[in-house]
Amino acid sequence: QTQVGDKGQAYEGAAVQQDHAPEGDQDLVQESALEQRVRRHVFLSDTIPLSWSACGYLGFGLLAMCVIPRCYPAVRWYHVVVGALLAPLLSLPVSFGCGLTDWDVSSMFGKLAIFCFAAWVGLSSGGVIAGLAMSGVILSATSTSATLMQDFRTGFIVKCAPKAMFFSQLAGVAAGALIAPLTFTLFWSTGKVGD
C-alpha cells in the first residue's frame, strides 16, 4: 500500500522516512506505521479523566480565592476569580507555542497581568501589590501549562501514558516536599548558613 508523504514523495506503509533527516542518516530516522500506531495507542489509551482536571482546578481555585486575599489585602476575591478564569485562556497559546517552538512566553502574560490588575485596583488602593500578586497567579498557571506540554511531548516520544506521567510527577513532588526541608535542616545544622 503506497501513500504520499508531506512533501509529495511516495512511501510504503511499513516504513515512514522522515523528511528532515540529513542525507547520510536517513536509515537512522525510520519509524514503521506499526510503531506509530503503538505510540498513539499508548499515549491515548490511559488519559487523565476530565473530571480530575475540573475538580483539581476548581478546588485549587477556591483555595486561592480564600488564601490570596488574606496574604495580600489589596487583592479581593473577585480578582482571584478573574485571574483563575483568564489563566486557562492565556495558557492555550503559551502551551501551543511551546509545543511548536520550545519557547515559553508565559512571562509576557505575567507582565501584562501586572499592568491590568494594578490599573484595575488603582495605585491608592495597593494596585502595585495586587498586580504583582495576580501576576504570580497568571505566570504560574501559564508556565505550568508550557512545562506540561513539554512533558506530554516527551511522554509521547518515549511511549508513556499521561496518567503514568501524572502519578510519577506526584511522587516527585511528594519526594521533593520531604527531601528539601531535610536538606535545608542539614545545611542549617552546620551553623555556617548566612555567614
Side-chain angles (χ1 to χ4, degrees):
Q1 178 183 8
T2 303
Q3 298 176 0
V4 178
D6 293 351
K7 296 186 178 178
Q9 68 269 26
Y11 63 89
E12 295 298 319
V16 177
Q17 195 99 14
Q18 297 202 2
D19 297 325
H20 63 276
E23 286 290 322
D25 294 336
Q26 288 186 354
D27 292 335
L28 299 176
V29 194
Q30 288 187 359
E31 182 177 47
S32 70
L34 176 63
E35 288 173 330
Q36 285 182 347
R37 283 196 300 269
V38 167
R39 185 180 313 279
R40 286 190 185 110
H41 175 72
V42 167
F43 190 74
L44 297 175
S45 65
D46 199 16
T47 59
I48 300 168
L50 185 60
S51 61
W52 289 15
S53 302
C55 289
Y57 196 76
L58 184 64
F60 282 115
L62 290 172
L63 182 66
M65 197 171 68
C66 295
V67 171
I68 292 175
R70 289 183 183 267
C71 294
Y72 307 101
V75 179
R76 303 286 182 249
W77 65 271
Y78 49 85
H79 297 140
V80 179
V81 170
V82 170
L85 292 176
L86 280 177
L89 296 175
L90 298 176
S91 295
L92 287 173
V94 170
S95 60
F96 183 75
C98 188
L100 293 176
T101 64
D102 284 341
W103 187 30
D104 183 4
V105 295
S106 56
S107 62
M108 308 300 177
F109 288 115
K111 293 170 190 167
L112 181 65
I114 291 174
F115 294 119
C116 293
F117 283 99
W120 183 12
V121 173
L123 185 60
S124 61
S125 301
V128 174
I129 300 298
L132 289 171
M134 292 310 298
S135 168
V137 171
I138 299 293
L139 182 62
S140 63
T142 54
S143 178
T144 301
S145 74
T147 304
L148 195 59
M149 172 57 75
Q150 291 177 333
D151 292 346
F152 281 147
R153 184 176 51 193
T154 303
F156 180 76
I157 291 169
V158 300
K159 298 178 187 169
C160 181
K163 197 182 285 186
M165 291 172 48
F166 176 75
F167 285 120
S168 65
Q169 288 178 345
L170 280 181
V173 167
L178 293 174
I179 293 171
L182 295 175
T183 306
F184 178 75
T185 306
L186 180 66
F187 285 134
W188 190 261
S189 67
T190 63
K192 298 188 180 198
V193 175
D195 288 340

